[in-house]
Amino acid sequence: SQTIHQWPATLVQPVGSPLSLECTVEGTSNPNLYWYRQAAGRGLQLLFYSVGIGQISSEVPQNLSASRPQDRQFILSSKKLLLSDSGFYLCAWSVAGANVLTFGAGSRLTVL
Amino acid sequence: EDQVTQSPEALRLQEGESSSLNCSYTVSGLRGLFWYRQDPGKGPEFLFTLYSAGEEKEKERLKATLTKKESFLHITAPKPEDSATYLCAVQAALSGGYNKLIFGAGTRLAVHP
């Protein structure tokens, strides 16, 4: 069966520090991968998606970036965090061409 | 602009008190409407997909229905374990080989014994 892992689960970082959130999927090949952010009281916002290794598309301009160094690995990064980057970050995957997303457990980021 | 609006924002029910959650949407080229359940501090868990007006799906005490402009999630005789945030999302017209889901802000449901 397929599983998705995200880490770290919680992170407290100072403004201006770097960020790296990692997501891996097991039990499938060539998945579509997604990073969403969930702010309190707001809907999930799609940040990045990837349909293959090295292929990254951005939905929202910001100081975050994403990379997909391996087929089942998706990384969300920042060189310098802003207060506004605080939130709950969710990684998700889907079978290529299918429409049901499976989400990871999420990473809670607090920027102070 | 594609948009999803969920109401109410929060709902408090007594155990056994049936009710409905609403999801209104405007989207060009609806490819599917999704319901997810999210427990506090966790990722959303898939419940249903609806594709066309008139379609209905059921799972235990939950029943989802779809019209051309909205979807309802009916909860029959809820139990405290049904307490969660319920998210609605629509899939916009497929583009570039990926699925862009547009989410509503969710309805926080609390069921009290």
Side-chain angles (χ1 to χ4, degrees), chain B residues 11-108:
Chain B
L11 181 63
R12 178 187 171 119
L13 299 174
Q14 289 297 122
E15 185 172 1
E17 179 186 3
S18 302
S19 188
S20 297
L21 313 182
N22 177 264
C23 171
S24 300
Y25 64 89
T26 53
V27 63
S28 55
L30 180 69
R31 300 295 288 241
L33 185 138
F34 303 79
W35 283 97
Y36 283 83
R37 169 189 169 130
Q38 185 175 25
D39 292 308
K42 297 187 178 180
E45 178 184 340
F46 172 73
L47 292 173
F48 305 108
T49 307
L50 302 167
Y51 292 102
S52 56
E55 188 175 359
E56 299 182 352
K57 294 243 177 113
E58 289 189 63
K59 180 179 180 179
E60 297 181 354
R61 295 176 292 282
L62 301 177
K63 179 180 176 180
T65 62
L66 180 65
T67 71
K68 288 186 177 180
K69 293 186 178 182
E70 58 190 354
S71 176
F72 292 93
L73 184 65
H74 307 278
I75 303 177
T76 302
K79 298 182 178 181
E81 53 262 41
D82 294 322
S83 299
T85 296
Y86 291 86
L87 302 173
C88 172
V90 296
Q91 179 181 352
L94 196 61
S95 169
Y98 80 103
N99 303 299
K100 178 174 182 176
L101 293 190
I102 301 165
F103 282 84
T107 293
R108 294 189 312 277

Side-chain angles (χ1 to χ4, degrees), chain A residues 11 13-21 37 48 62-67 75-86 89 109 111:
Chain A
L11 197 59
Q13 292 287 96
V15 170
S17 64
L19 171 72
S20 181
L21 302 179
R37 177 168 59 199
F48 302 95
Q62 56 210 322
N63 70 322
L64 299 173
S65 62
S67 62
I75 297 172
L76 182 68
S77 304
S78 174
K79 293 182 178 179
K80 290 185 177 181
L81 285 169
L82 307 172
L83 287 173
S84 57
D85 291 324
S86 293
Y89 289 83
L109 171 65
V111 182

Side-chain angles (χ1 to χ4, degrees), chain A residues 32 34 36 38 41-44 46 49 51 59 88 90 94 97-101 103-105, chain B residues 31 34 36 38 41-44 46 49 51 87 91 95-101 103-105:
Chain A
N32 286 354
Y34 311 82
Y36 280 84
Q38 187 175 33
R42 302 180 65 179
L44 276 70
L46 179 63
Y49 65 94
V51 298
E59 282 289 301
F88 192 49
L90 289 156
S94 71
N99 52 20
V100 175
L101 298 185
F103 286 87
Chain B
R31 300 295 288 241
F34 303 79
Y36 283 83
Q38 185 175 25
K42 297 187 178 180
F46 172 73
T49 307
Y51 292 102
L87 302 173
Q91 179 181 352
S95 169
Y98 80 103
N99 303 299
K100 178 174 182 176
L101 293 190
F103 282 84

